[in-house]
Amino acid sequence: MKHYFFTVISIITLTFFYNCSKSDNGLDNEDNSTPKEETEETFNYTSSAKYNLNIIYFVPKGSKNRKDSHRRLSEILLQGQEFYKKNMNDYGFGNKTFNLLVDTQKKRIKITYIDGELSASNYPYEGGGNKMITEIEAYYNANPDEKNSDHYLVLSPVSDPTTSDVPYYGLGKWCFASDFDDMDIKHLGTGTSLGTRATTYIGGLLHELGHGLNLPHNKEKVSDLSNSNKGTCLMGAGNYTYGSSPTFLSEASCSILNNNQVFNNSNDIFYTGATASIKNLQASFESNNIKISGTVETDVTVNSISIYNDPADDNADYDAVTWATKLEADNTFSISMPISELHKKENTEYVLRLLLNHTSGDITRISYAYKFVNGAPVIDFGEKDYFNKSKWVIESFSSEENSGQENTGLASAILDNNDETYWHSCWNGSCASANYPHSIAIDTGETITAEGFAFTQRKTLSRAIKDIEIFISDDNTTWSSLGNYTLQNVNTVQNIRLDNQASFRYFRIEAKSSYDGDRFAALAEVYCF
């Protein structure tokens, strides 16, 4: 396998790397005249930072590096640097942006050109990203000095981006986009078809880069749309506005980037696996504001919280409206969020996601559920006066997994008051084919009168249950249904209040569907209040 890349010390000319015709050479002159040979040693790439974004141009076997790619992509990413820097400055984070290895005199960035082992059809949108990652990691394992950080932007050459089937998304700290001959910042804002395409795909590149830099999707607040300094969030629909109408990064995004490895000049070790939790959470709806406050407990400093209000009426988070807040010296926080800034307020389920931003670049994600009813939010998350479960026992279950450590996998895990353990339907051995519906029944040991039930999904939200039905019984023989309910895909306790109080000794939870669409189910805890 051959690998093509720009470096300071090599003296091999680029014309030896590629066929020298103008259409094939990535360093053709803009006027399409005979290409000037630029030897690799003519570039002096430097950076004051230890960590710099890895930029890879991945060329499948038999494909062509698109014309003038080094110049065009250098200009695109240097402009992108300034865009990110302006937004960081606007929120008071200073002149911070993603670090690059740059030849400042020639205005070129370091791009590592790597030839793929297979043809382009072997790296499709579905699954192609992981295949590219395998080959790129093999290259960096063989050339460890070439790796500059834990973040990667991978570009694929295409002749027509509208019909191409290449990876175009984020995968953890990796992100993927495409490159084509007319993807050039000179077309931005021209009002032409080339301008529209440049906005879509240059904005798309910078949007996907955001994912590779740890950013979720989010939507602008209602007031941002009419603000000439804001407009559309890049991490929402910004790839349709970048360079042609106002586009910005939210404060929630910039708060995350503030701790990102490639946004800092520190020599510290990043992404150490920090953890955190929120104690004494208070939430309310007052004076047309959703108010939340609490205290953060953490093993690595948390300096800000990014808050995402995500309507749960779809499976995407493009419409999540965000806020951000810094922590006080005593690790407390509080924020008020006007509901006038939310786009959806009529009978809509919401997931409230709090991203606790550690100075190590790690992010702890904690989520809660609430809903709008007749234009007003119903805030019912947080702890209730739950019944003591010490005498509760599992009466029956459809299946359980007994290969886990401690209580994990067993039905009894939902009663141990430990949300790190969980019941899991059988996935190993002869019962591995167990499918929905899954069920589990509990004997409370006495007749209780409850106002509602509470559930905690598995911490990682893997195998999260979506639709359930609750049954109750006095004798474990005759059962009556209390109705069907939908659990939210959140990793904190969620309360379901009944229309009327119910008295019973036994109750049974029947899980009917999952969020991932697979046959397995998992649940960490169940309560009554």
Side-chain angles (χ1 to χ4, degrees):
M1 179 174 63
K2 297 179 181 179
H3 302 288
Y4 303 147
F5 55 94
F6 294 103
T7 180
V8 177
I9 61 174
S10 175
I11 60 174
I12 302 174
T13 62
L14 287 174
T15 53
F16 290 165
F17 286 173
Y18 305 107
N19 183 304
C20 292
S21 69
K22 289 179 287 184
S23 61
D24 293 354
N25 194 319
L27 293 173
D28 286 351
N29 292 336
E30 288 185 59
D31 61 5
N32 291 327
S33 60
T34 302
K36 174 186 176 182
E37 293 184 3
E38 293 189 51
T39 57
E40 290 186 347
E41 76 271 13
T42 63
F43 296 103
N44 181 28
Y45 301 116
T46 61
S47 172
S48 62
K50 176 181 179 180
Y51 301 106
N52 298 278
L53 179 65
N54 299 296
I55 303 172
I56 300 98
Y57 201 105
F58 190 89
V59 186
K61 187 176 182 179
S63 297
K64 297 178 180 180
N65 168 25
R66 304 315 302 177
K67 182 178 64 178
D68 209 13
S69 61
H70 190 206
R71 175 194 65 80
R72 290 184 294 95
L73 292 169
S74 292
E75 292 177 355
I76 287 169
L77 284 161
L78 289 172
Q79 184 189 74
Q81 261 194 331
E82 293 303 310
F83 172 82
Y84 274 73
K85 183 188 295 183
K86 177 186 181 301
N87 282 269
M88 295 293 286
N89 245 322
D90 287 347
Y91 297 114
F93 294 112
N95 289 319
K96 300 179 76 169
T97 188
F98 53 90
N99 300 319
L100 295 171
L101 283 163
V102 182
D103 184 322
T104 55
Q105 183 177 3
K106 295 181 179 296
K107 298 182 180 178
R108 295 290 186 271
I109 65 173
K110 181 180 178 181
I111 302 176
T112 299
Y113 286 77
I114 296 180
D115 273 359
E117 298 177 345
L118 306 171
S119 61
S121 62
N122 292 281
Y123 307 101
Y125 180 89
E126 294 292 343
N130 282 318
K131 289 184 178 180
M132 290 182 181
I133 289 173
T134 298
E135 293 186 37
I136 294 167
E137 286 183 332
Y139 169 75
Y140 282 119
N141 287 336
N143 301 274
D145 291 342
E146 291 291 316
K147 180 179 174 181
N148 297 297
S149 70
D150 294 318
H151 294 273
Y152 305 82
L153 168 63
V154 183
L155 296 146
S156 298
V158 299
S159 57
D160 183 353
T162 65
T163 60
S164 62
D165 182 25
V166 297
Y168 209 109
Y169 40 68
L171 280 176
K173 294 178 175 57
W174 294 75
C175 57
F176 300 82
S178 61
D179 175 53
F180 56 95
D181 289 346
D182 291 319
M183 195 169 80
D184 199 316
I185 62 171
K186 69 183 182 182
H187 299 307
L188 289 173
T190 59
T192 63
S193 59
L194 286 178
T196 299
R197 187 173 287 194
T199 284
T200 300
Y201 291 97
I202 295 175
L205 184 158
L206 295 176
H207 172 108
E208 300 306 335
L209 175 58
H211 288 317
L213 296 172
N214 305 331
L215 299 184
H217 289 125
N218 66 179
K219 186 177 180 65
E220 61 280 348
K221 297 182 178 74
V222 168
S223 63
D224 292 332
L225 285 170
S226 58
N227 185 335
S228 60
N229 294 318
K230 293 289 184 71
T232 305
C233 265
L234 178 71
M235 297 312 297
N239 57 308
Y240 298 108
T241 58
Y242 179 83
S244 61
S245 62
T247 308
F248 73 106
L249 289 166
S250 69
E251 186 176 6
S253 289
C254 290
S255 296
I256 294 170
L257 295 174
N258 183 49
N259 296 329
N260 186 282
Q261 183 190 55
V262 298
F263 272 66
N264 287 279
N265 292 339
S266 168
N267 291 329
D268 293 344
I269 298 175
F270 287 77
Y271 310 125
T272 57
T275 59
S277 60
I278 295 177
K279 305 298 182 183
N280 305 316
L281 181 73
Q282 302 294 318
S284 62
F285 175 56
E286 303 174 26
S287 303
N288 290 318
N289 284 261
I290 297 174
K291 298 184 177 183
I292 60 172
S293 62
T295 303
V296 173
E297 293 186 356
T298 178
D299 56 356
V300 175
T301 300
V302 170
N303 57 9
S304 67
I305 303 177
S306 299
I307 303 164
Y308 291 70
N309 291 267
D310 183 16
D313 54 357
D314 55 30
N315 292 322
D317 52 1
Y318 290 96
D319 52 359
V321 178
T322 64
W323 278 262
T325 185
K326 294 181 180 179
L327 266 66
E328 301 295 336
D330 59 356
N331 271 7
T332 61
F333 70 94
S334 63
I335 192 168
S336 293
M337 298 174 286
I339 64 169
S340 59
E341 295 286 15
L342 301 177
H343 297 268
K344 297 180 180 180
K345 295 187 284 290
E346 289 299 326
N347 301 327
T348 303
E349 300 279 350
Y350 267 81
V351 175
L352 181 70
R353 297 190 179 92
L354 275 61
L355 275 62
L356 280 57
N357 302 316
H358 298 266
T359 54
S360 59
D362 295 292
I363 301 170
T364 296
R365 294 168 171 85
I366 299 175
S367 49
Y368 305 91
Y370 71 95
K371 61 184 176 181
F372 272 82
V373 177
N374 298 324
V378 177
I379 308 296
D380 198 29
F381 54 80
E383 293 190 1
K384 300 290 185 183
D385 185 14
Y386 299 123
F387 282 92
N388 186 320
K389 298 194 293 182
S390 61
K391 295 182 180 180
W392 293 12
V393 296
I394 300 298
E395 180 63 32
S396 63
F397 53 84
S398 55
S399 74
E400 65 178 1
E401 180 54 49
N402 59 16
S403 64
Q405 295 181 348
E406 297 180 348
N407 222 15
T408 297
L410 301 180
S412 57
I414 69 169
L415 302 180
D416 65 2
N417 292 309
N418 179 5
D419 57 12
E420 297 291 339
T421 63
Y422 50 88
W423 164 55
H424 198 296
S425 62
C426 181
W427 59 266
N428 186 36
S430 61
C431 61
S433 61
N435 208 337
Y436 278 91
H438 300 287
S439 64
I440 190 164
I442 291 96
D443 177 4
T444 68
E446 61 184 346
T447 299
I448 63 173
T449 301
E451 297 179 358
F453 293 80
F455 303 88
T456 306
Q457 303 267 29
R458 183 179 175 182
K459 276 285 189 181
T460 62
L461 294 177
S462 176
R463 309 310 188 192
I465 294 170
K466 185 177 183 182
D467 296 304
I468 65 169
E469 187 171 3
I470 303 174
F471 297 87
I472 58 174
S473 174
D474 293 324
D475 57 9
N476 197 30
T477 301
T478 303
W479 295 85
S480 59
S481 174
L482 293 179
N484 292 285
Y485 302 90
T486 298
L487 300 184
Q488 294 302 317
N489 199 20
V490 299
N491 60 3
T492 54
V493 63
Q494 49 188 300
N495 303 305
I496 292 177
R497 189 176 294 276
L498 302 174
D499 292 336
N500 299 290
Q501 290 184 345
S503 296
F504 53 88
R505 172 171 172 171
Y506 303 88
F507 68 93
R508 185 173 83 243
I509 308 302
E510 186 169 296
K512 297 185 172 184
S513 67
S514 64
Y515 274 95
D516 63 10
D518 211 332
R519 66 183 184 274
F520 305 108
L523 192 65
E525 289 294 318
V526 62
Y527 308 89
C528 295
F529 61 90

